[in-house]
Amino acid sequence: MCETAMMPQECMDNKATRMTIPNLRLNNGFDMPQIGLGTATLNDEAIVPVLVTAINAGYRHIDTAFRYGNQRGVGKGIRDSGVARERLFVTTKLDGEFQGNDRAIAGLDECLRQLGLGYVDLLLIHWPLPQRDQYVATWKTFEKLVDSGKVRSIGVSNFKPAHLERLRASARIHPVANQIQLSPRITREDHVAADRAHNIVTVAWSPLGAGKGMLDDATLKRIGAKYGKSPGQVVLRWNIELGLAAIPRSSNSERIKQNLDIFDFSLTPAEVAEISQLDTGAEPRVDADKSGH
Ligand SMILES: NC(=O)c1ccc[n+]([C@@H]2O[C@H](COP(=O)([O-])OP(=O)(O)OC[C@H]3O[C@@H](n4cnc5c(N)ncnc54)[C@H](OP(=O)(O)O)[C@@H]3O)[C@@H](O)[C@H]2O)c1
């Protein structure tokens, strides 16, 4: 065994070499493993073997949400993996139905019931939904949830810099993370800079472009060939070089492992810049001011 609870030195039993998943230190002192496993679209049944494979491959950070409808499966996968819960960093998110009027209290209780856990490491407001104007009130409830011990850290998702400013203005506990759509095609440097200015970790969702062709890019292939890595690994390494966390999803056991096998090479600053220049200027899939759930 080479693990210590909640520490970064993780064994990769499937590899001849040992690799470490770095942690990002959150602004409240807890650590978040820089690569996590995304679980969207994988239902309660499908997620169980995926999670067992991933945890046994070395993943210690798992991203789910009430909306994904898979928290029971996530909980079962954690139990079936045989790895102690304290060694894992589990994130879940509450969407619109839990905003306002302390609804998040019941929301978190339901998440914990489904997951079969006593606490989550990170709870996120899934979308700001500014048209409802309840995210500041919801944050007050999130602060109470930290006090209750049922959640260690609280953060946001899909928040634009202006939403963050407004929330922070009256926050007693500051958000530790902002989970946003981010990839070489949509680099969102303004969001990353705003997060960084407030010591908030940016977590990239759809970091691999959600399987929509980004990984066919010639630049990513060329850089990957130089290091003997796939385009997906190059993209995840780019996240690491930028100091971001990323939560790639895969249900393929080889790619689950491949997506962690990114800690034995580095990109040069020129390569990081070249990948960042793949930004298309495209809008995110959902404009957080107009839509969401
Ligand atoms: N906060 C939010 O609002 C929000 C929104 C969307 C997503 N998320 C979170 O972010 C996670 C990741 O985003 P995502 O699921 O949209 O997409 P993603 O992780 O960018 O991409 C997943 C796709 O990439 C493929 N893939 C995985 N590894 C690969 C590799 N090394 N090479 C080539 N293809 C690879 C997967 O196929 P295989 O399974 O066949 O490998 C799958 O089709 C979600 O699962 C969810 O946890 C959060």
Side-chain angles (χ1 to χ4, degrees), residues 37-40 63-64 68 93 126-127 157-158 179 204-211 215 230 232-233 247-252 255 258-259 285 293:
L37 183 80
T39 68
D63 182 78
T64 183
Y68 300 167
K93 321 178 192 82
H126 204 146
W127 289 88
S157 179
N158 301 301
Q179 187 183 119
W205 65 254
S206 290
L208 300 172
L215 300 179
S230 72
Q233 289 172 305
I247 46 171
R249 165 180 55 92
S250 179
S251 46
N252 171 285
R255 285 190 286 278
Q258 189 192 114
N259 291 345
R285 286 217 295 271
H293 41 73

Side-chain angles (χ1 to χ4, degrees), residues 180-189 192 203-210 214-215 220 235-236 238-239 242 244 246 275-281 285:
I180 56 173
Q181 186 188 354
L182 191 154
S183 74
R185 283 201 175 154
I186 172 166
T187 58
R188 316 200 72 184
E189 287 170 6
V192 174
V203 180
W205 65 254
S206 290
L208 300 172
M214 182 184 79
L215 300 179
L220 299 176
V235 169
L236 294 173
W238 171 81
N239 278 268
L242 290 175
L244 311 173
I275 294 168
S276 297
Q277 280 163 15
L278 298 176
D279 189 298
T280 60
R285 286 217 295 271

Side-chain angles (χ1 to χ4, degrees), residues 76-224:
K76 179 164 170 41
I78 289 172
R79 288 187 294 281
D80 287 1
S81 76
V83 169
R85 186 269 171 268
E86 302 73 49
R87 293 190 172 125
L88 302 173
F89 185 100
V90 180
T91 300
T92 194
K93 321 178 192 82
L94 292 177
D95 50 285
E97 68 183 278
F98 298 110
Q99 287 215 18
N101 289 332
D102 276 350
R103 289 197 188 100
I105 294 173
L108 177 62
D109 281 344
E110 179 59 17
C111 290
L112 293 175
R113 196 182 66 76
Q114 292 182 8
L115 287 161
L117 298 178
Y119 69 94
V120 289
D121 295 274
L122 178 60
L123 182 69
L124 304 179
I125 297 180
H126 204 146
W127 289 88
L129 304 178
Q131 66 277 24
R132 294 199 197 177
D133 197 21
Q134 287 179 327
Y135 64 80
V136 172
T138 304
W139 190 255
K140 299 286 166 217
T141 310
F142 270 41
E143 291 173 334
K144 292 182 202 169
L145 293 173
V146 175
D147 298 338
S148 78
K150 292 178 180 175
V151 55
R152 288 192 164 165
S153 303
I154 49 178
V156 297
S157 179
N158 301 301
F159 271 47
K160 293 183 176 182
H163 305 138
L164 214 44
E165 277 309 314
R166 184 156 170 248
L167 184 146
R168 288 185 73 262
S170 62
R172 171 170 63 87
I173 300 175
H174 288 272
V176 301
N178 187 14
Q179 187 183 119
I180 56 173
Q181 186 188 354
L182 191 154
S183 74
R185 283 201 175 154
I186 172 166
T187 58
R188 316 200 72 184
E189 287 170 6
D190 58 335
H191 285 54
V192 174
D195 291 348
R196 189 160 289 149
H198 301 300
N199 202 8
I200 293 169
V201 168
T202 306
V203 180
W205 65 254
S206 290
L208 300 172
K212 294 192 168 48
M214 182 184 79
L215 300 179
D216 294 331
D217 180 87
T219 300
L220 299 176
K221 286 184 177 170
R222 172 173 47 75
I223 295 173

